Amino acid sequence: MEGFVALYIFMLAAVVGYELITKVPVILHTPLMSGSNFIHGIVLVGAMVVMGHAEGAAETTIGFIAVLLAAGNAVGGYVVTERMLEMFKPSDKLKESKNKGGH
Amino acid sequence: MDLIIQIIYFIGALLFILGLKMMGSPITARKGIVWAGFGMLLATLITYFHSEITHNYIWMTVAIALGGIVAYISGKKVAMTDMPQMIALYNGMGGGAAAAIAAVVLLKMEFTNGIVQTLAVLGAVIGTVAFSGSLIAFAKLQGLMKGVIRFPMQQWVNALVFVITLTLGLAIILSGNNYAIGTLVAFFVFALAFGVMMTIPIGGADMPVVISLYNALTGLAVGFEGYVLGNPAMMIAGVVVGSAGTLLTQLMAKAMNRPISNVLFSNFGEGGDGEAQAVSGSMKEIDSTDVAVMMAFAEKVVIIPGYGMAVAQAQHKVWEMTKQLQERGVTVKFAIHPVAGRMPGHMNVLLAEAGVPYDIIYDLDEINEEFPTTDVVLVIGANDVVNPAARTDPASPIYGMPILNADYAKNVIVVKRGKGTGFSGIENHLFFADNTRMLYGDGQDVANDLVTSLKEL
């Protein structure tokens, strides 16, 4: 049964991922790829757990590498995505019409 | 404590999905990544209290600090033009982490259930391939590795390596907890080799599609290892990225008019049969003063930038020119082809860096019907994406690729370094059209001259 719950989670997550991307404009493809790259940085959590119960030199060393790489993925992915998205600004005209409550 | 951890993981997964959703619109995108980052921070901190973590706290923190600091500095320093390879590098690290998790789990040999073991092995293959493949992609785009490496029977050799990898993986799954360490090592070595061999024959122009594919693969590997570790946050985040990444890969390949199978298993430039149509007419030159006058008295100007503009670092000057035109009451729009820059959306990032607001930037579908009513089109650093041969000449290698119909405009100005055919070696019919004038020179110098000429008007 537990395996089937996992299967449902996988299926629903796949649908969500697909739906999120279908309506995205081309202008955001690069930051979005970078952003999704950041999100799989959650692998850090798993790497920490694995290192936290690693036994012996081989397991500990590989665990250390896992945490190191995962931290690089998460932090690097965040920094470059944030840098790119921070630059996307609307024109003054659009900002004004927003402030006035127009569209 | 376990309940609190589960709640935090749940919130983390929710924030990732919401963040990704917000990243789908330029207005909310910035907030999206910040929320997702907040989710990541929460999930990481609470993991310190995870019941399965019993020791190694200090080394764990050292690893996080070391990986985090190096990534932070490199991420802050990287130039916007080098973004594709940086994403490849960070993605490779994620794939490597997933593979390393699988390696530790497989070394422990404590499997009680075949499904867990199968997913651990699958995650290991996918993560390892994404790791070594992404590193090759990084090396190629960074210029550390030049050209493509091809040899006879390459696809067969690759297929053989892949089959060996899968066979070793299957042997591990079938032998329960009794496989030899040698088998495990060989399994990882072959998976690493496959990632390398799959990537070396692929050319630089196709690399974005490949990076996007590896991004999706890493997501999938993370999702599988999440199941192995019983961690729903990893499962959800990983699979969401896996499917989002797959779709993004398809969209990119479609924009480049290159089926994914073509990118992975064949070479560019093989399409197109027979002789290309001969070009008639001649290239007609114009100087920057005349161009400035034309644009200043136009009603609507559309600028088509290509990667050449970014190489010449001309985007800041082009934006200055745009502002001058806007002050004169000219409507200026930027038209971006999906493959402008080094990957889809890259040109938008480069223009955003120069300060160009996103609402005057249009993509192919939005702008194409506007060209017949456009007075002046300024093509700067772009070539194939405005070549009408893609529409008219079935023998052309780019036939069928969606292009920006610049040739429908009343006047077309092409800024170009020299008279050659450029990067792809394909003759551009637009350059010879009656309504086209060529403005020769380096992108940066030309933009500078145009700004000066506009001031003097």
Side-chain angles (χ1 to χ4, degrees):
Chain A
M1 186 58 207
E2 236 220 324
F4 270 97
V5 174
L7 205 59
Y8 282 113
I9 293 180
F10 281 149
M11 179 194 72
L12 292 172
V15 172
V16 167
Y18 195 88
E19 280 300 312
L20 284 177
I21 299 294
T22 40
K23 296 159 205 119
V24 167
V26 183
I27 68 163
L28 284 171
H29 277 184
T30 294
L32 209 73
M33 184 162 133
S34 176
S36 57
N37 177 34
F38 159 70
I39 285 172
H40 64 54
I42 188 67
V43 69
L44 175 59
V45 167
M48 288 169 73
V49 170
V50 159
M51 192 184 175
H53 66 253
E55 302 293 340
E59 287 180 16
T60 309
T61 309
I62 300 173
F64 183 85
I65 294 170
V67 177
L68 187 83
L69 291 175
N73 180 185
V75 175
Y78 181 83
V79 171
V80 295
T81 310
E82 208 264 350
R83 262 185 74 196
M84 282 192 271
L85 290 176
E86 194 252 335
M87 297 183 316
F88 281 88
K89 299 228 161 62
S91 63
D92 298 340
K93 237 197 297 180
L94 195 76
K95 264 186 239 158
E96 272 165 33
S97 67
K98 275 245 152 49
N99 291 340
K100 280 177 200 155
H103 62 86
Chain B
M1 199 64 214
D2 269 355
L3 182 68
I4 298 174
I5 292 177
Q6 290 307 325
I7 292 171
I8 297 284
Y9 282 170
F10 179 80
I11 294 172
L14 192 68
L15 287 177
F16 289 156
I17 292 172
L18 286 178
L20 206 55
K21 168 87 190 149
M22 288 164 93
M23 276 186 249
S25 154
I27 302 160
T28 53
R30 171 88 197 284
K31 277 187 208 141
I33 183 69
V34 173
W35 277 115
F38 184 62
M40 186 76 75
L41 190 67
L42 278 183
T44 309
L45 290 178
I46 202 72
T47 301
Y48 271 100
F49 301 99
H50 199 287
S51 59
E52 282 178 47
I53 300 182
T54 52
H55 56 287
N56 281 339
Y57 286 99
I58 293 175
W59 284 110
M60 196 183 293
T61 311
V62 170
I64 293 174
L66 210 61
I69 290 169
V70 172
Y72 182 85
I73 294 170
S74 61
K76 282 282 180 197
K77 271 170 63 177
V78 61
M80 284 298 152
T81 42
D82 291 340
M83 214 38 99
Q85 59 261 47
M86 222 52 206
I87 297 174
L89 186 63
Y90 296 140
N91 178 54
M93 294 170 98
I101 289 174
V104 174
V105 173
L106 287 164
L107 274 175
K108 280 190 177 293
M109 296 192 202
E110 288 168 357
F111 293 107
T112 52
N113 158 341
I115 299 174
V116 173
Q117 194 168 359
T118 307
L119 284 185
V121 168
L122 276 179
V125 178
I126 299 170
T128 309
V129 170
F131 170 69
S132 59
S134 295
L135 290 189
I136 298 293
F138 167 78
K140 282 197 168 197
L141 291 174
Q142 186 71 16
L144 300 173
M145 203 174 140
K146 295 257 158 64
V148 292
I149 299 167
R150 295 203 178 105
F151 50 85
M153 309 279 286
Q154 189 162 17
Q155 297 303 344
W156 291 105
V157 176
N158 287 4
L160 185 69
V161 174
F162 187 58
V163 169
I164 294 174
T165 311
L166 288 188
T167 309
L168 289 167
L170 197 64
I172 291 170
I173 294 167
L174 292 178
S175 53
N177 289 322
N178 291 315
Y179 45 87
I181 297 295
T183 315
L184 190 60
V185 172
F187 164 69
F188 274 105
V189 169
F190 273 97
L192 275 174
F194 180 68
V196 172
M197 294 173 68
M198 189 175 142
T199 320
I200 52 174
I202 300 170
D206 283 336
M207 220 34 104
V209 178
V210 178
I211 297 173
S212 179
L213 180 70
Y214 288 148
N215 183 39
L217 287 180
T218 303
L220 209 57
V222 170
F224 287 174
E225 296 312 324
Y227 177 75
V228 172
L229 297 174
N231 186 319
M234 275 172 76
M235 284 165 69
I236 292 170
V239 175
V240 165
V241 172
S243 80
T246 306
L247 181 58
L248 201 55
T249 310
Q250 282 170 355
L251 290 175
M252 284 189 184
K254 203 176 135 220
M256 296 169 78
N257 195 33
R258 305 266 292 131
I260 296 172
S261 57
N262 262 25
V263 172
L264 295 178
F265 304 117
S266 86
N267 314 327
F268 185 62
E270 285 181 342
D273 307 314
E275 290 287 298
Q277 280 172 12
V279 194
S280 59
S282 60
M283 296 201 224
K284 295 159 284 285
E285 221 176 314
I286 193 169
D287 66 31
S288 56
T289 326
D290 290 344
V291 175
V293 173
M294 269 171 87
M295 291 196 299
F297 294 99
E299 260 180 50
K300 183 155 83 181
V301 173
V302 172
I303 300 173
I304 301 179
Y307 190 59
M309 182 197 70
V311 172
Q313 283 295 315
Q315 59 267 45
H316 295 273
K317 280 288 165 196
V318 169
W319 172 228
E320 200 180 326
M321 181 192 84
T322 305
K323 282 189 285 190
Q324 284 180 342
L325 290 171
Q326 284 175 334
E327 276 163 29
R328 288 172 175 272
V330 183
T331 305
V332 185
K333 294 181 175 181
F334 284 82
I336 311 276
H337 190 274
V339 299
R342 298 171 66 195
M343 59 194 215
H346 190 208
M347 185 53 68
N348 304 82
V349 173
L350 296 170
L351 287 176
E353 189 190 17
V356 181
Y358 59 76
D359 47 306
I360 65 167
I361 302 176
Y362 295 81
D363 69 23
L364 190 127
D365 296 330
E366 296 170 319
I367 198 86
N368 250 350
E369 56 194 42
E370 290 197 31
F371 282 114
T373 59
T374 301
D375 301 299
V376 182
V377 166
L378 185 71
V379 179
I380 175 161
N383 188 343
D384 289 344
V385 300
V386 290
N387 190 348
R391 243 181 12 234
T392 57
D393 182 1
S396 172
I398 58 165
Y399 182 71
M401 180 173 91
I403 59 156
L404 290 161
N405 295 326
D407 52 321
Y408 291 165
K410 289 166 196 156
N411 298 285
V412 182
I413 309 294
V414 177
V415 179
K416 206 167 172 299
R417 271 170 163 280
K419 294 184 183 180
T421 48
F423 183 64
S424 64
I426 302 164
E427 200 72 74
N428 193 333
H429 297 224
L430 177 70
F431 299 170
F432 300 89
D434 290 335
N435 54 344
T436 303
R437 295 291 177 275
M438 306 298 289
L439 181 53
Y440 292 112
D442 173 74
Q444 167 105 319
D445 298 339
V446 167
N448 232 337
D449 292 346
L450 288 173
V451 169
T452 319
S453 306
L454 278 170
K455 272 184 193 147
E456 286 165 1
L457 278 178

